[in-house]
Amino acid sequence: MNTITLQIENQSILPSLKKVLGALEGVTLLPARKSAARKSALNSTTIKAIKAVKAGKTFKASSADDLISQCLN
């Protein structure tokens, strides 16, 4: 058995698409997993980084040399 995941940007076609796919013999439509699928793709380091940015824990560098200098200090 194969599984295909589709990302549908135009939500207005979703009902028609489900109807067409559901009419095909041997095709089973599974419930959508929106946030659970996205969260499982993020590891703990990425989640911590996202929280840090949302909390404003960022810095700016004026150039690559400035960035390296800030990282070494």
Side-chain angles (χ1 to χ4, degrees):
M1 178 183 331
N2 294 317
T3 302
I4 298 173
T5 303
L6 302 173
Q7 183 173 333
I8 311 299
E9 291 183 25
N10 183 352
Q11 295 297 313
S12 67
I13 68 165
L14 197 54
S16 300
L17 183 60
K18 285 182 177 181
K19 187 175 181 179
V20 169
L21 292 174
L24 296 173
E25 184 178 336
V27 174
T28 304
L29 299 176
L30 302 174
R33 294 180 292 161
K34 292 182 181 178
S35 62
R38 182 174 179 257
K39 286 187 178 189
S40 68
L42 303 177
N43 64 29
S44 62
T45 303
T46 304
I47 292 170
K48 287 178 187 176
I50 291 169
K51 287 180 180 179
V53 169
K54 286 182 178 179
K57 297 179 182 177
T58 61
F59 65 94
K60 294 182 181 182
S62 59
S63 66
D65 290 333
D66 183 31
L67 174 63
I68 293 169
S69 175
Q70 290 184 44
C71 291
L72 295 176
N73 292 331

